[in-house]
């Protein structure tokens, strides 16, 4: 019996050792798994940081350019490098890209050079067979990022690590897309945005620009992203006449007093182009339009009274025949359209926020000297605001763009303007000087909104009998060129595989 117990005891020897080894092995496996898992998570976190960082850097490049395209921005290309964009608001060609470069630490960023460190191979993929070689053109116009300009280049840390941003026009061919009016063909015409559609109808809207950014991190991570953007026009009142005057039924009548002794003064709703030639468009506008709430036939007396007030010079009716448009001369019409004072005042505020220049209050000399300093021209169209009265007496010059006056506008027959003139608020135009021979080309809109209630007040345009000048002429071309924008809308976005 004693020997059996001894044998049983010997047969159990080593079990504890085996169990211990197994437990240690299990713990080791778990530890190794934890280490591997931790390393994987660290690698994933690192990859995520890199992918997020390079993505954000590329987006920063796109957003910088989108901000700098807006001419009212302090960092705009217009303010930092006036020669970078095409002059005079001309469209940017599809085959002539321009670049914003962002070199770090003195490195060379030349995306137009084939085989360079940050070469732009994407442009050839999009425009190969459309544009002549080399693609992109070598060299291409470029300007520095704001991060390479004073004062940001003096910061103790680098800015976003994008390397370049390319800006170019697009065509149906480059996008491989048939745009409105969907004629089933894809051509090389530049693409525009009319507020609803991409279109290849030249002049139908604002040009669509392609903005492409490349970002590269020190660890080699890269990201190529792209926007299609277009300017967003500021909402304006409708321009249905060469001269629009506000009024409302039950209130005072709008007033137009022509220079009775000026045989050549004219208000023409016939559309002219920017060269002063008939545009050839099928429909004219009214010469003088009445804008406001006139139910039924209540506008008839206003229209007939204004027509009879336009002078004639017996035995000729030449002066009355100078007022031409879509109706018989003298062409004065009720436009059958209206807005409330609040709606027009909201438009005024939008224009003020997007203004390029604000005329200081003061004498005619102060205000005309300021306008001269703006150097307005067909290639420098501006949105100019006068918050209050504007007196341009003895300003023998022509302005270009949009002019907004919230008080009384005292003009001079030797003033010219090409674009849009809005006199909204006090709604009054008059003159003191009488000599000159210029004209307004585009549209003039006069509305009295500084009154209580929901109806527009009576606008007033009254000139001295002896005032000279050539008058006002409708031009859809100058109206479109004067259209202010509030920024660039993103029409599409995508990441480009590399």
């Amino acid at each position: 019996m004693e020997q059996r117990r001894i044998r049983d005891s010997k047969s159990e020897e080593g079990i504890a050792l085996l169990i211990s080894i197994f437990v240690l092995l299990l713990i080791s496996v778990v530890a190794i798994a934890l280490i591997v898992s931790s390393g994987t998570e660290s690698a994933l976190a690192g990859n995520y940081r890199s992918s997020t960082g390079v993505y954000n850097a590329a987006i920063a490049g796109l957003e910088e350019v989108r901000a700098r395209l807006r001419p009212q921005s302090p960092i705009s290309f217009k303010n930092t490098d006036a020669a970078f964009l095409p002059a005079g608001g001309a469209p940017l060609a599809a085959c002539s890209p321009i670049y914003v470069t962002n070199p770090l630490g003195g490195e060379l960023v030349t995306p137009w050079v084939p085989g360079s460190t940050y070469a732009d191979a994407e442009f050839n993929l999009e425009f190969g067979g459309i544009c002549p070689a080399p693609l992109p053109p070598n060299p291409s116009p470029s300007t520095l990022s704001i991060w390479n300009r004073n004062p940001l280049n003096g910061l103790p840390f680098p800015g976003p690590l994008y390397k370049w941003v390319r800006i170019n026009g697009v065509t149906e061919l480059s996008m491989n897309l048939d745009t409105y009016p969907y004629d089933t063909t894809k051509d090389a015409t530049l693409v525009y945005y009319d507020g609803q559609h991409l279109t290849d109808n030249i002049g139908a809207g604002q040009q669509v620009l392609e903005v492409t950014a490349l970002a590269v991190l020190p660890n080699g991570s890269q990201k190529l992203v792209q926007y299609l953007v277009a300017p967003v026009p500021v909402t304006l009142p409708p321009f249905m006449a060469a001269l629009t005057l506000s009024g409302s039924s039950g209130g005072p009548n709008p007033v137009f007093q022509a220079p009775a002794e000026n045989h050549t003064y004219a208000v023409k709703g016939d559309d002219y182009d920017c060269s002063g030639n008939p545009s050839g468009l099928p429909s004219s506008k009214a010469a003088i339009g009445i804008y406001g709430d006139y139910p039924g036939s209540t506008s008839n007396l206003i229209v007939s009274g204004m027509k009879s007030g336009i002078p004639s010079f017996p035995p000729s009716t030449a002066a009355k025949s100078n007022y031409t448009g879509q109706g018989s001369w003298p062409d004065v019409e009720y436009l059958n359209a209206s807005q409330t004072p609040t709606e027009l005042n909201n438009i005024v505020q939008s224009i003020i926020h997007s203004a390029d220049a604000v005329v200081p209050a003061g004498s005619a000399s102060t205000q005309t000297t300021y306008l001269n300093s703006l150097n307005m021209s067909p290639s420098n169209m501006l949105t100019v605001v006068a918050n209050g009265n504007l007196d341009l007496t003895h300003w023998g010059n022509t302005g270009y763009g949009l002019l907004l006056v919230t008080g009384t506008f005292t003009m001079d027959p030797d003033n010219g303007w090409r674009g849009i003139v809005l006199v909204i608020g006090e709604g009054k135009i008059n003159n003191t000087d009488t000599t000159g021979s210029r004209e307004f080309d585009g549209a003039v809109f006069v509305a009295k909104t500084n009154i209580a209630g929901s109806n527009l007040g009576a606008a007033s345009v009254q000139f001295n009998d002896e005032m000279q000048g050539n008058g006002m002429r409708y031009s859809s071309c100058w109206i479109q060129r004067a259209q202010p924008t509030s920024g660039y809308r993103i029409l599409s976005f995508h990441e480009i595989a590399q």
Side-chain angles (χ1 to χ4, degrees):
M1 180 67 71
E2 184 65 27
Q3 288 180 339
R4 181 180 296 176
R5 279 200 299 270
I6 292 171
R7 281 196 302 270
D8 290 343
S9 175
K10 287 183 177 180
S11 66
E12 294 174 0
E13 288 179 357
I15 293 297
L17 179 60
L18 290 174
I19 293 173
S20 298
I21 292 172
F22 177 76
V23 170
L24 287 173
L25 181 61
L26 183 61
I27 292 172
S28 299
V29 170
V30 171
I32 291 170
L34 290 173
I35 292 171
V36 171
S37 175
S38 175
T40 302
E41 290 181 1
S42 297
L44 289 174
N47 289 339
Y48 177 76
R49 283 194 299 271
S50 291
S51 62
T52 302
V54 74
Y55 174 84
N56 289 336
I59 294 297
L62 295 181
E63 288 299 320
E64 177 189 324
V65 165
R66 193 161 74 99
R68 295 179 71 182
L69 285 168
R70 185 172 180 265
Q72 296 84 7
S73 170
I75 62 169
S76 70
F77 295 120
K78 179 179 178 180
N79 291 327
T80 58
D81 190 345
F84 181 60
L85 295 175
L92 183 61
C95 297
S96 301
I98 56 179
Y99 289 86
V100 176
T101 59
N102 188 31
L104 180 65
E107 66 181 345
L108 194 63
V109 178
T110 52
W112 49 84
V113 176
S116 64
T117 306
Y118 308 112
D120 181 10
E122 176 63 23
F123 189 79
N124 186 55
L125 295 177
E126 293 182 32
F127 291 90
I130 300 172
C131 299
L135 296 179
N138 184 8
S140 291
S142 65
T143 192
L144 287 173
S145 161
I146 57 171
W147 296 97
N148 279 269
R149 296 174 180 271
N150 187 49
L152 296 184
N153 60 356
L155 294 174
F157 51 83
L161 297 177
Y162 71 88
K163 297 304 176 184
W164 53 258
V165 182
R166 174 186 10 109
I167 313 167
N168 56 272
V170 290
T171 68
E172 289 183 328
L173 282 174
S174 70
M175 296 191 298
N176 192 29
L177 178 70
D178 179 30
T179 63
Y180 185 81
Y182 312 121
D183 54 10
T184 71
T185 62
K186 299 170 187 173
D187 55 43
T189 306
L190 289 173
V191 172
Y192 297 82
Y193 179 64
D194 64 6
Q196 294 182 303
H197 312 96
L198 297 179
T199 175
D200 61 356
N201 285 338
I202 299 174
Q206 303 290 333
Q207 185 186 11
V208 175
L209 296 178
E210 182 180 81
V211 184
T212 309
L214 173 71
V216 181
L217 298 188
N219 65 6
S221 297
Q222 297 190 18
K223 181 66 69 175
L224 195 62
V225 293
Q226 191 173 84
Y227 282 165
L228 286 182
V229 300
V232 180
V234 172
T235 299
L236 298 176
F239 300 114
M240 306 164 70
L243 171 63
T244 302
L245 303 171
S246 74
S248 294
S249 177
N253 294 336
V255 176
F256 174 72
Q257 180 178 313
E261 299 175 13
N262 185 345
H263 295 227
T264 60
Y265 191 88
V267 179
K268 294 185 177 292
D270 314 291
D271 192 19
Y272 287 77
D273 63 22
C274 287
S275 298
N277 302 313
S279 68
L281 295 177
S283 60
S284 297
K285 304 295 182 182
I288 300 176
I290 309 301
Y291 188 78
D293 185 15
Y294 288 93
S297 60
T298 56
S299 65
N300 291 349
L301 287 176
I302 311 297
V303 169
S304 61
M306 195 168 291
K307 284 186 175 184
S308 64
I310 295 173
S312 59
F313 298 91
S316 168
T317 58
K320 286 185 182 292
S321 65
N322 289 339
Y323 293 74
T324 58
Q326 59 190 14
S328 59
W329 56 262
D331 184 32
V332 180
E333 303 178 34
Y334 173 53
L335 300 176
N336 198 28
S338 180
Q339 288 173 286
T340 65
T342 298
E343 289 171 332
L344 285 178
N345 287 335
N346 288 339
I347 290 174
V348 166
Q349 292 305 310
S350 296
I351 295 171
I352 290 173
H353 291 154
S354 63
D356 297 300
V358 178
V359 181
S363 66
S365 176
T366 297
Q367 294 185 318
T368 56
T369 298
Y370 177 77
L371 287 185
N372 284 332
S373 73
L374 299 178
N375 297 314
M376 288 180 282
S377 70
S379 61
N380 187 31
M381 306 280 288
L382 299 179
T383 297
V384 180
V385 171
N387 268 318
N389 297 335
L390 178 65
D391 188 349
L392 298 188
T393 301
H394 302 310
W395 186 55
N397 214 330
T398 297
Y400 294 83
L402 184 147
L403 174 64
L404 168 65
V405 182
T406 62
T408 297
F409 178 24
T410 301
M411 59 161 286
D412 186 306
D414 210 22
N415 301 160
W417 198 273
R418 290 178 175 171
I420 300 167
V421 176
L422 302 176
V423 185
I424 301 177
E426 184 62 27
K428 183 182 293 185
I429 299 179
N430 59 24
N431 74 289
T432 55
D433 190 38
T434 59
T435 60
S437 58
R438 298 179 191 264
E439 68 184 25
F440 287 7
D441 296 325
V444 179
F445 186 99
V446 188
K448 186 172 181 61
T449 61
N450 58 356
I451 58 172
S454 59
N455 289 329
L456 296 171
S460 172
V461 176
Q462 299 189 70
F463 299 128
N464 295 344
D465 287 348
E466 63 274 20
M467 189 189 82
Q468 299 174 7
N470 293 333
M472 307 172 188
R473 188 167 62 182
Y474 188 88
S475 172
S476 59
C477 175
W478 284 116
I479 291 171
Q480 182 175 344
R481 291 189 61 181
Q483 171 73 58
T485 59
S486 60
Y488 275 72
R489 176 181 297 170
I490 301 171
L491 305 179
S492 73
F493 165 75
H494 71 283
E495 300 181 36
I496 300 173
Q498 294 176 273

